[in-house]
């Protein structure tokens, strides 16, 4: 079984964090982890941002988050338990993660407003 | 001559901003632009972060910043003049850019401290 790689907080780079969070799915996963107190398993996230995500893709997202230093993962039987490392990162880069997550929330509310404004067109049956 | 592409502020995405700034050279260029009041040309940045950068690479960095919506460029004869769009972005994603730039400053000061701690070893001449 491959070992799980967790960089020490001193080896975490801003470049790595921005790259990992430049993906809306990863940012959504991270946002959920950051507000949850208990460890979350991959299966909690299969419907993140209203889109079904294959389990293998999710594993890759968690790996990217882990290697960027954003989450800490632990094997528990056949599952993987993940917790956010937000406290460590907040200490090193104060205000960074809250600002990114807040900006994603801005985008999500803009999207929701736009969807409300444009109701789905009724399908007309062609003869 | 290829037209310069500037997304409207509503089409600027957080994903695009994070991806563009996940490169330390681009972040350094952007940080310099954001604090400068007047338009800056590419040649101002040839020694950004203590490393000489070829002009063609710089052009690519400016293109990435422009297409992410971070800078506005204008041709002036053979030169390109660039200004930061930080005010527009601050309005859409409050606090995001200051948090990222502050985090890069944290990394830069850590690097400077580490360099002071490890002075370059004197070369010993082998006979």
């Amino acid at each position: 079984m491959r070992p799980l790689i967790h960089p020490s907080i001193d080896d975490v780079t801003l470049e790595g964090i921005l790259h990992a969070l430049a993906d809306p799915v990863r940012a959504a996963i991270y946002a959920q982890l950051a507000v949850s107190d208990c460890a979350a398993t991959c299966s909690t996230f299969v419907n993140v941002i209203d889109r079904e995500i294959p389990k293998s893709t999710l594993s890759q997202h968690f790996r990217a988050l882990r290697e960027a230093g954003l989450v800490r993962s632990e094997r528990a039987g056949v599952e993987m338990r993940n917790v956010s490392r937000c406290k460590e990162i907040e200490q090193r880069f104060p205000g960074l993660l809250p600002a990114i997550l807040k900006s994603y929330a801005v985008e999500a509310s803009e999207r929701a407003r736009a969807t409300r404004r444009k109701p789905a067109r009724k399908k007309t049956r062609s003869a």
Side-chain angles (χ1 to χ4, degrees), chain A:
Chain A
M1 206 178 281
R2 266 198 297 183
L4 301 173
I5 296 167
H6 294 101
S8 91
I9 190 64
D10 296 328
D11 292 331
V12 167
T13 65
L14 178 58
E15 192 181 341
I17 291 176
L18 297 185
H19 184 78
L21 293 181
D23 179 287
V25 176
R26 282 201 290 268
I29 293 172
Y30 185 74
Q32 281 190 39
L33 272 180
V35 295
S36 105
D37 281 325
C38 52
T41 60
C42 272
S43 51
T44 319
F45 299 93
V46 286
N47 273 312
V48 93
I49 58 168
D50 305 327
R51 203 191 306 163
E52 203 163 311
I53 297 162
K55 223 172 161 184
S56 59
T57 310
L58 265 184
S59 295
Q60 285 171 14
H61 284 317
F62 272 102
R63 186 182 164 187
L65 290 170
R66 186 165 60 241
E67 295 187 357
L70 286 159
V71 307
R72 196 173 288 284
S73 315
E74 200 184 319
R75 289 198 178 92
V78 292
E79 293 227 295
M80 188 84 87
R81 301 177 72 76
N82 299 282
V83 287
S84 152
R85 293 177 67 180
C86 52
K87 279 185 194 154
E88 289 171 85
I89 294 178
E90 182 60 25
Q91 217 160 12
R92 177 126 185 254
F93 300 123
L96 176 70
L97 294 175
I100 294 176
L101 296 182
K102 195 175 137 201
S103 299
Y104 267 117
V106 165
E107 274 196 340
S109 72
E110 284 172 355
R111 254 197 318 272
R113 252 201 317 274
T115 312
R116 274 200 301 275
R117 239 180 278 140
K118 288 183 213 160
R121 267 193 285 175
K122 279 185 191 164
K123 277 185 188 168
T124 51
R125 195 185 286 171
S126 56

